Amino acid sequence: MSMFQYDFMIRALVGALVVGLAAPALGIYLVQRRMSLIGDGIGHVALTGVGVGLLLDRSPVITAVIVAAAGAVAIELLRERGRTSGDLALAMLFYGGIAGGVMLVGLSKNSSNANLMSYLFGSLITTSSTDLVVIVVLGAGVLAAMLLLRPALFAICHDEEYAKVSGLPVRTLNVLLAVTTAVTVTIAMRTVGLLLVSALMVVPVAAAQQVTRGFRGTMAAAMGLGVLSAGTGVWLAGEANTAAGATIVVLAIAAFLALSVGAATWRVLRRQLPALPRTADVEPPDVVLER
């Protein structure tokens, strides 16, 4: 008997696939900017949004999006103006966000350890039809922004000063990147949980970097690995009765280790083979900044 005959499993699979596709598409820009851990910080702020939603008896997903987006924009403006260091800003996100979230969840009428854990570590099987609609719509928006604005976003991540000189709206793009990070963190909290969401943004990108060259190829490979990890993780979690979020992340890390070992082995073998002609490493035209 297939587990996907149940509606809640189908919703879980669709939600996981959407997040598995959108998270690495955004994560590659965060990795490029050396901001791989910002997803963790915003995840903690999103927990405060969850607490606000439960306290006011509103949709926790919507309130989490609003609060996380506000926190992400505030951190981006602080970073831009140089009033506080990046690590200090992230520390404030980590500690203030999770403290506020736990306190507000405790004050709500729906307070319970199980309720809190479902947001911290994910609970795919409890994804409602309304949650799924929000996940699909917001996930599609994030994915569209990352793909359509790829040349401009690549430019600000690679060299922000050059992007300013070239006339790009750097501040607007930075704020957009911050907001889409907050949105991705929020929609992923049902899939892998707020404490593991950063892994789904970063690990597929790190795995793809082991075997690809160029920004576009890495992005495509990372998205493929994200979808594969998410889909396989949901199926394996259903078969083995394990936590879906943790299973997805473990599979992504396993893919990273396998590709790392494979790439290292290939480099060793290649040094022992006769020299082969090599092509120059040039970025594809669509990610080269043009006026």
Side-chain angles (χ1 to χ4, degrees):
M1 182 178 296
S2 173
M3 72 180 75
F4 294 110
Q5 66 178 320
Y6 302 108
D7 290 341
F8 70 88
M9 286 302 300
I10 295 177
R11 290 195 297 268
L13 179 62
V14 173
L17 292 177
V18 170
V19 174
L21 191 64
L26 168 69
I28 189 169
Y29 298 105
L30 301 181
V31 172
Q32 186 78 12
R33 301 187 76 175
R34 301 185 185 277
M35 297 176 66
S36 301
L37 292 178
I38 194 172
D40 282 329
I42 295 178
H44 287 71
V45 173
L47 183 60
T48 297
V50 170
V52 171
L54 294 176
L55 187 63
L56 300 178
D57 198 21
R58 296 291 187 268
S59 170
V61 176
I62 300 300
T63 55
V65 168
I66 296 172
V67 173
V73 171
I75 292 301
E76 173 56 32
L77 294 178
L78 287 172
R79 183 197 67 83
E80 178 186 329
R81 297 183 180 185
R83 293 184 179 178
T84 185
S85 62
D87 60 338
L88 180 58
L90 283 177
M92 289 190 293
L93 277 176
F94 268 72
Y95 306 132
I98 198 167
V102 171
M103 184 182 70
L104 291 175
V105 170
L107 292 174
S108 69
K109 296 179 181 179
N110 298 320
S111 173
S112 69
N113 289 334
N115 203 358
L116 181 60
M117 295 292 284
S118 69
Y119 290 104
L120 290 176
F121 297 102
S123 182
L124 265 177
I125 61 174
T126 63
T127 302
S128 65
S129 298
T130 303
D131 290 338
L132 183 61
V133 170
V134 173
I135 290 172
V136 171
V137 171
L138 294 180
V142 170
L143 186 60
M146 296 303 102
L147 295 178
L148 294 176
L149 298 176
R150 179 172 58 192
L153 291 175
F154 172 81
I156 67 168
C157 292
H158 183 68
D159 191 337
E160 191 170 301
E161 293 301 321
Y162 178 67
K164 287 181 180 179
V165 173
S166 300
L168 286 174
V170 173
R171 173 178 292 181
T172 301
L173 292 171
N174 281 333
V175 170
L176 173 66
L177 202 58
V179 171
T180 51
T181 301
V183 171
T184 304
V185 166
T186 306
I187 64 174
M189 69 182 178
R190 281 297 196 186
T191 306
V192 295
L194 295 173
L195 296 184
L196 295 175
V197 62
S198 191
L200 201 54
M201 293 181 181
V202 174
V203 176
V205 177
Q209 287 177 334
Q210 306 302 311
V211 294
T212 58
R213 292 182 177 180
F215 188 83
R216 183 172 60 179
T218 301
M219 187 179 196
M223 292 166 63
L225 288 170
V227 170
L228 181 62
S229 299
T232 307
V234 171
W235 171 79
L236 186 59
E239 292 289 338
N241 194 27
T242 58
T247 306
I248 291 171
V249 172
V250 166
L251 288 176
I253 293 175
F256 167 76
L257 294 175
L259 290 175
S260 298
V261 172
T265 303
W266 170 247
R267 286 193 294 269
V268 171
L269 293 176
R270 191 175 184 180
R271 284 197 293 267
Q272 298 176 353
L273 294 174
L276 298 176
R278 298 182 180 181
T279 57
D281 296 339
V282 180
E283 289 291 346
D286 66 339
V287 297
V288 175
L289 182 62
E290 298 179 355
R291 292 184 62 83

